[in-house]
Amino acid sequence: MKLLVTGGAGYVGSVCAAHLLDAGHEVVVLDDLSTGHRDAVPDGATFVEGELGATAGEVLGTGGFDGVLHFAARSLVGESVEHPEKYWAGNVVASFRLLEAVRENAVPRLVFSSTAATYGEPEQVPIPETAPTRPTNPYGASKLAIDHMLTSYANAHGLAATSLRYFNVAGAHVGGTRRLGERHAVETHLIPIVLQVAAGTRDSVSIYGDDWPTPDGSCVRDYIHVDDLADAHLLALEKAVPGRHAVFNLGSGQGFSVREVVEACRAVTGHPIPAVVAPRRAGDPAVLVASSAEATARLGWTPSRTDLHRIVADAWEFAGDR
Ligand code: UDP
């Protein structure tokens, strides 16, 4: 298939682009490099530098596209609270323009990078796709708005649409000759932060709260290997049905606490990694774990890289190469 990958210079987008190329697809990456990296675009992909809303029409207008994988987004929860306008413009408005270009050019399918943040504070864990969607920040709300757009475009215009709601994406694509992983100018995610401490570029990691209602008092999350996530995108492309919008949660189905993650990083790296307890971070739910039963049943997807040490080891290998 000939595919447009928006945000293909970013973490998840670049890894998915690599998997798509390996599966024999033709890949065009569109990215404005605001947070992505030119050298993360895998060899073999055509690269177009441009802002999504302004450029998607031009790119899709060149014709022959069989699908879009839409990763380009702003994705910092804290920033979304302080500057919601950036999320309505960068996520919602730009995605609307992309969808219009998809419609005008009769592109049949689209896979969207959605998020567990669309659910907000869960009532039930593991979280199924039928859980209420009550995002607690503009980032989650902007992603949910795009999910709603996709439902309407599937119903009205026959688009085969799939939203994949990621839980905590982690690890790196380090198989073969490529090295693709998480590289943010401002790092907020737990595993890369802990590995920065191991590498000596940060003094200690803060554990945001040790009085949560969890077994060891720190927050529990569901860490999914980025290569497992990429596998789900390829299956979603294959299984998409015209006129339907499918939504799938993607996680490993197991929860690890912040303390367990720090321990795993100590074991993998052999570094002591000082950790200090800090106040809770605003907006953090205590426990987020996915039920991916639907993805298994309907996409035939089963994550295979679920061992936390493996996830951390791949991220560490990537960090060591930088
Ligand atoms: N966390 C932490 N210290 C950090 C960064 C994150 O204790 O320096 C915790 C955070 O409160 C959450 C978990 O680690 O419970 C995962 O946070 P991350 O930002 O990686 O992902 P999120 O779950 O917010 O999407």
Side-chain angles (χ1 to χ4, degrees):
M1 285 192 249
K2 181 176 175 185
L3 302 166
L4 172 64
V5 177
T6 75
Y11 172 38
V12 179
S14 65
V15 174
C16 283
H19 280 245
L20 292 166
L21 288 163
D22 288 348
H25 297 292
E26 183 183 344
V27 173
V28 177
V29 165
L30 171 61
D31 199 300
D32 65 3
L33 301 182
S34 58
T35 54
H37 306 271
R38 176 66 184 89
D39 64 3
V41 177
D43 287 345
T46 302
F47 178 61
V48 179
E49 183 175 347
E51 194 267 321
L52 176 67
T55 323
E58 221 173 283
V59 176
L60 290 179
T62 60
F65 282 90
D66 301 295
V68 175
L69 292 103
H70 178 29
F71 300 96
R74 291 184 169 270
S75 61
L76 295 174
V77 169
E79 181 189 56
S80 80
V81 175
E82 280 172 32
H83 295 290
E85 64 284 359
K86 291 187 181 174
Y87 286 72
W88 298 116
N91 290 355
V92 178
V93 175
S95 295
F96 170 64
R97 297 220 168 100
L98 170 68
L99 274 187
E100 279 295 270
V102 161
R103 183 165 72 94
E104 279 158 20
N105 292 285
V107 180
R109 52 182 83 73
L110 185 144
V111 178
F112 174 55
S113 167
S114 187
T115 168
T118 52
Y119 295 113
E121 183 76 43
E123 279 170 5
Q124 184 190 344
V125 178
I127 305 175
E129 290 81 358
T130 48
T133 42
R134 290 187 292 242
T136 51
N137 52 64
Y139 164 64
S142 71
K143 289 281 185 170
L144 183 60
I146 299 161
D147 282 345
H148 287 311
M149 270 189 232
L150 289 172
T151 306
S152 67
Y153 274 62
N155 289 339
H157 305 308
L159 183 68
T162 307
S163 292
L164 299 177
R165 292 191 173 150
Y166 312 160
F167 281 62
N168 288 64
V169 188
H173 178 74
V174 292
T177 52
R178 294 192 196 96
R179 293 283 179 275
L180 299 169
E182 208 165 353
R183 259 197 288 166
H184 298 120
V186 182
E187 195 49 76
T188 62
H189 290 136
L190 181 63
I191 292 177
I193 285 178
V194 180
L195 293 179
Q196 286 174 355
V197 181
T201 55
R202 189 186 281 261
D203 291 339
S204 65
V205 55
S206 297
I207 296 176
Y208 295 147
D210 68 347
D211 55 354
W212 296 93
T214 60
D216 70 16
S218 63
C219 283
V220 170
R221 294 289 181 273
D222 183 337
Y223 296 89
I224 170 170
H225 196 294
V226 66
D227 280 325
D228 280 335
L229 198 68
D231 288 343
H233 287 73
L234 271 77
L235 290 166
L237 259 187
E238 273 172 34
K239 304 266 163 105
V241 178
R244 283 226 204 122
H245 177 213
V247 178
F248 298 107
N249 290 344
L250 298 179
S252 296
Q254 40 176 3
F256 292 103
S257 72
V258 174
R259 286 190 191 282
E260 285 174 317
V261 169
V262 174
E263 258 330 303
C265 292
R266 286 178 180 140
V268 166
T269 65
H271 289 280
I273 310 183
V276 290
V277 175
R280 290 181 176 195
R281 186 172 68 176
D284 267 344
V287 180
L288 283 179
V289 176
S291 165
S292 300
E294 279 293 300
T296 301
R298 291 174 49 203
L299 296 179
W301 176 77
T302 329
S304 62
R305 304 149 182 106
T306 55
D307 174 54
L308 183 60
H309 288 81
R310 155 80 192 274
I311 292 174
V312 168
D314 286 353
W316 182 234
E317 186 176 334
F318 173 74
D321 278 353
R322 305 306 320 163

